[in-house]
Amino acid sequence: PTIVLDVKASALDGTYVGMEIYITDNLGAGQRRTITAYTGVSRTATVTPLWEVIPNNNSVFEISALSVNVGAGNGVQYADPVATGLPQFICIGKEVIRYHTLTGDVLGWSSSTAARAQFGTPREDHKINDNVQYCFALIDQSAAAAVEKLFNGGGVADANLDLAGLAQQDEDWLGSACRITACIAAPTLAATLANELLKDLGMNSWWDP
């Protein structure tokens, strides 16, 4: 259950532990394994589970991280997908990544296939100290739920929203045909997003004392 990396690979023991190795071309192509040990002197990585087809010298592979550390004490700024039960996303550079776990200050994902290059964004190489931006995402939400979440994001609590009226809009006019999926990967005012969405939906909002 091992693979010998190129001589240009790191000579430091443990460098790639916890990362994913993906055979992209030639013998063994398509296999993804997690590196559980790495010996720097021999450039030998131990993987799990066992290879179905053992790669050879002609196999082309890439190694990518399965987690990112957002910095000491910063983990509390990110939503926990396990606790919320909702998909959660971050943006690094131009790439949106879906993370599946939050442990302290570490965001993790199970495989790069299910996580990387979301919403049509390009898969990119990233460096230490790159900015990690939490994304505001709506996945297959009703119009009423989307409007509610945007107003909540702008600091308006449910107690100050006409939730019954929003639900009636869905029932009378928008229905199941209007489902919203979007990912906002850059800081944007909730009021700006709500204004754009209400226009698209043909809805109005106003303050009622």
Side-chain angles (χ1 to χ4, degrees):
T2 63
I3 184 171
V4 178
L5 307 186
D6 189 89
V7 293
K8 296 180 182 178
S10 174
L12 182 64
D13 289 348
T15 299
Y16 305 107
V17 171
M19 296 187 180
E20 178 185 72
I21 185 166
Y22 172 44
I23 309 300
T24 60
D25 293 288
N26 300 332
L27 188 63
Q31 296 179 100
R32 298 178 183 273
R33 297 295 186 269
T34 300
I35 297 176
T36 56
Y38 178 72
T39 303
V41 173
S42 61
R43 273 60 169 186
T44 301
T46 302
V47 304
T48 186
L50 299 177
W51 296 111
E52 294 177 6
V53 178
I54 299 175
N56 63 14
N57 291 339
N58 294 320
S59 300
V60 180
F61 64 87
E62 65 177 36
I63 295 176
S64 59
L66 293 176
S67 65
V68 61
N69 190 315
V70 295
N74 292 329
V76 295
Q77 301 178 42
Y78 296 81
D80 184 347
V82 176
T84 63
L86 299 172
Q88 303 294 342
F89 302 87
I90 54 173
C91 184
I92 307 176
K94 295 181 179 180
E95 181 182 8
V96 173
I97 300 172
R98 178 179 177 179
Y99 65 95
H100 301 97
T101 60
L102 170 62
T103 305
D105 298 316
V106 177
L107 313 177
W109 44 93
S110 55
S111 76
S112 60
T113 301
R116 301 289 301 273
Q118 299 289 296
F119 294 96
T121 56
R123 180 165 175 152
E124 298 180 325
D125 291 331
H126 305 293
K127 304 182 294 296
I128 293 175
N129 296 325
D130 278 354
N131 290 330
V132 180
Q133 172 66 51
Y134 178 70
C135 300
F136 175 80
L138 298 169
I139 308 298
D140 192 31
Q141 296 284 300
S142 68
V147 172
E148 178 187 5
K149 290 180 185 298
L150 283 174
F151 274 92
N152 289 163
V156 182
D158 280 349
N160 296 317
L161 292 174
D162 181 10
L163 298 181
L166 282 172
Q168 197 66 48
Q169 287 285 322
D170 266 336
E171 183 177 340
D172 291 346
W173 305 106
L174 301 170
S176 59
C178 182
R179 307 293 296 183
I180 297 170
T181 294
C183 179
I184 309 303
T188 308
L189 287 174
T192 299
L193 297 173
N195 185 53
E196 293 175 356
L197 180 59
L198 290 172
K199 285 182 179 179
D200 289 342
L201 296 173
M203 297 170 63
N204 293 298
S205 67
W206 60 90
W207 288 107
D208 186 347

